[in-house]
Amino acid sequence: QQMLMPREAMMYGTPPPALMNVPPAMGGAQVMFRNGPKSAAVMESPGHPQRSALLEEFRGNKTRKYELKDICDHMVEFSCDQHGSRFIQQKLEQATQDEKELVFEEVARNARQLMTDVFGNYVIQKFFEHGSQVQKHVLSKQMEGHILTLSLQMYGCRVVQKALEHVITEQQASMVRELDGHVLQCVKDQNGNHVIQKAIERVPAEHIKFVIDSFHGQVYTLATHPYGCRVIQRMFEHCDEAQTRPLLEELHRYTTNLVQDQYGNYVIQHVMERGKPADRSLVCSRVRGHVLQLSKHKFASNVVEKCIAYGEIKDRRALIDEITAVRRDGSSNLINMMKDQYANYVVQKMLDVVEEPQREAILVKIQPHMAALRKFTYGKHLISKVEKYMAMRDGVAEPPMSAGSSRGPQTPVSASSKTSA
């Protein structure tokens, strides 16, 4: 941690016991309070020696209406307290410029330590949201030389993300330059990946070329990584064709493996939902001939659903024909898939997207197997959908919802880290 210079050390006293020798990563901020005699209201609370009497009173008094001026000289201590931090955050949202400066004067001297504090980081974020350009610039200067360290820290990464959202382009560029040479380290880090995602989303392309360049030759490794798969998706969303095309070509070489990977399948789903027609057709071509096998796979079945829902018309028809075709012995993939815990969701999606004549033909094939289907616990959703479509056909019910299957959320959790309390 950055130590105070001798001149500054003379201006500020010793931190209260609550904040002494507590590593910032453990939720403590190394802070300095003003010297001078303490009034009775500012003396340490005998009931809780880790808090000043003022903070103890604030936490216990539910009737008094506090203002920012009431906690002068204690802004840092309040920022490091759960209730005090929330109070400052709420006040800053509606504060006058003078009130903001009152708070900023104290927290700026300890800003970098507060950035890595469990509660203090939220106060710093508020200044990036609601502070003046001068205040944002001061905070950004304090972050210089420490962007990588902050990006890899649980609370610091949130401050870096918020800064990238609110500082000017020149400051954005300066911040992300510090990550050059460390991109893959950040992508594979539980905290750093969120900073790389935010940089891809918010920083102009000419300033993050080195980020995209670092992905070349690494697409498969990143797409099959729990954090890397998120970053790859953000890249395909926000970068232009010139940047993404070489990486898409690299991705297509591994489609068959990726659709069966617990993380890679999300990247291929993303291509099906947002990709160009040629890319979607290429994915469908890798699925064709293997629909039954992939539909019965826990992860690949998600991709088959997306192919049915988002594929080009000719590709969808080819996949549906593969599912419904009847062999010489009278068997078909459809009957096999209906009874499978994963493939039945593909059948449900197929019923939602096919044209009416095809749907009717599929319903006719399913009906004789309804009794057997009821014996499977995971068959109830398909039975319900079939019955609704049959009732709709007979004019006695509304069509079922077709926004998605009933298997629940199918995307990785938390595309980006929370940046507010």
Side-chain angles (χ1 to χ4, degrees):
Q1 296 295 324
Q2 186 182 36
M3 300 299 293
L4 291 176
M5 297 299 290
R7 182 178 64 82
E8 294 171 302
M10 295 174 61
M11 295 172 58
Y12 298 95
T14 307
L19 300 171
M20 288 183 65
N21 304 318
V22 182
M26 297 297 291
Q30 295 174 351
V31 296
M32 299 297 178
F33 276 33
R34 295 180 189 273
N35 272 326
K38 296 179 180 179
S39 67
V42 184
M43 294 294 287
E44 289 180 352
S45 165
H48 200 302
Q50 293 184 334
R51 302 187 189 120
S52 67
L54 178 62
L55 179 56
E56 194 70 56
E57 179 188 353
F58 169 82
R59 289 172 61 96
N61 192 329
K62 305 301 182 183
T63 56
R64 178 179 171 182
K65 185 178 180 182
Y66 282 84
E67 299 297 338
L68 288 172
K69 60 182 175 58
D70 297 325
I71 63 170
C72 280
D73 298 335
H74 284 263
M75 298 296 181
V76 174
E77 182 191 18
F78 272 61
S79 295
C80 296
D81 176 80
Q82 180 178 7
H83 303 286
S85 174
R86 184 170 290 121
F87 165 74
I88 294 175
Q89 291 174 62
Q90 292 171 343
K91 289 295 183 181
L92 285 176
E93 291 178 358
Q94 305 295 331
T96 65
Q97 192 54 48
D98 286 343
E99 289 173 323
K100 291 176 186 176
E101 192 58 38
L102 187 68
V103 180
F104 190 75
E105 181 184 356
E106 293 186 43
V107 301
R109 291 190 290 268
N110 300 279
R112 195 160 60 80
Q113 286 75 29
L114 289 174
M115 290 174 188
T116 58
D117 182 76
V118 60
F119 303 121
N121 79 90
Y122 294 116
V123 174
I124 301 300
Q125 287 185 56
K126 283 297 176 184
F127 273 105
F128 278 114
E129 284 186 89
H130 301 284
S132 66
Q133 284 301 326
V134 171
Q135 290 166 344
K136 294 176 188 179
H137 178 74
V138 169
L139 292 176
S140 297
K141 294 296 287 183
Q142 291 207 31
M143 295 168 71
E144 282 185 4
H146 305 285
I147 297 298
L148 177 61
T149 302
L150 289 169
S151 296
L152 298 176
Q153 205 269 344
M154 182 182 298
Y155 309 115
C157 75
R158 305 178 184 192
V159 175
V160 178
Q161 289 175 76
K162 188 64 71 172
L164 290 175
E165 290 179 357
H166 293 281
V167 299
I168 61 176
T169 302
E170 180 184 352
Q171 291 170 321
Q172 287 180 325
S174 176
M175 288 180 178
V176 297
R177 265 199 306 270
E178 293 190 30
L179 301 179
D180 196 354
H182 306 282
V183 173
L184 296 182
Q185 177 188 0
C186 289
V187 168
K188 296 178 181 180
D189 182 78
Q190 62 178 337
N191 303 310
N193 81 89
H194 297 295
V195 173
I196 299 298
Q197 288 186 63
K198 188 64 66 175
I200 290 172
E201 292 172 6
R202 304 302 288 258
V203 181
E206 62 268 25
H207 299 301
I208 59 166
K209 182 179 182 299
F210 71 91
V211 173
I212 309 305
D213 288 346
S214 70
F215 296 160
H216 289 275
Q218 299 289 328
V219 171
Y220 180 78
T221 301
L222 296 178
T224 54
H225 189 276
Y227 309 133
C229 72
R230 304 172 184 172
V231 175
I232 292 294
Q233 290 176 68
R234 296 296 83 72
M235 178 196 65
F236 288 146
E237 285 175 12
H238 297 279
C239 296
D240 59 35
E241 174 75 5
Q243 290 177 305
T244 60
R245 179 47 52 188
L247 296 169
L248 264 171
E249 297 300 329
E250 185 179 338
L251 185 80
H252 284 313
R253 295 203 296 269
Y254 304 102
T255 298
T256 302
N257 291 328
L258 289 173
V259 299
Q260 299 174 75
D261 183 78
Q262 62 178 326
Y263 303 113
N265 81 90
Y266 293 118
V267 178
I268 302 302
Q269 286 186 65
H270 192 274
V271 172
M272 287 306 305
E273 291 178 348
R274 298 169 178 260
K276 293 183 178 300
D279 293 309
R280 295 201 298 266
S281 288
L282 194 50
V283 172
C284 289
S285 72
R286 303 294 168 82
V287 172
R288 279 201 308 272
H290 309 283
V291 170
L292 178 60
Q293 172 194 348
L294 296 178
S295 295
K296 296 174 76 171
H297 190 280
K298 180 178 182 178
F299 306 120
S301 62
N302 296 316
V303 176
V304 181
E305 273 193 64
K306 291 299 189 296
C307 289
I308 296 292
Y310 295 96
E312 299 300 293
I313 293 177
K314 63 179 179 61
D315 295 319
R316 287 162 56 178
R317 284 177 177 166
L319 293 173
I320 292 170
D321 287 344
E322 184 176 338
I323 293 172
T324 57
V326 179
R327 302 182 186 89
R328 291 183 178 180
D329 62 0
S331 65
S332 72
N333 289 339
L334 174 63
I335 306 306
N336 203 329
M337 291 168 61
M338 284 166 42
K339 301 173 182 177
D340 184 79
Q341 60 179 325
Y342 303 119
N344 83 88
Y345 291 105
V346 177
V347 177
Q348 290 183 55
K349 179 61 66 177
M350 183 174 64
L351 285 171
D352 288 337
V353 304
V354 296
E355 298 169 353
E356 187 56 40
Q358 282 183 300
R359 183 184 295 121
E360 179 60 28
I362 294 169
L363 290 174
V364 169
K365 292 179 180 180
I366 292 176
Q367 273 186 281
H369 302 274
M370 291 283 279
L373 196 57
R374 295 182 192 279
K375 298 177 183 178
F376 297 91
T377 55
Y378 40 79
K380 61 182 180 181
H381 297 302
L382 177 56
I383 291 172
S384 175
K385 182 155 290 194
V386 169
E387 289 177 340
K388 286 181 179 178
Y389 273 119
M390 290 169 60
M392 184 183 69
R393 177 191 63 189
D394 298 334
V396 296
E398 293 294 319
M401 296 292 289
S402 60
S405 71
S406 51
R407 71 167 91 189
Q410 294 294 309
T411 53
V413 176
S414 172
S416 64
S417 179
K418 288 185 179 179
T419 53
S420 59

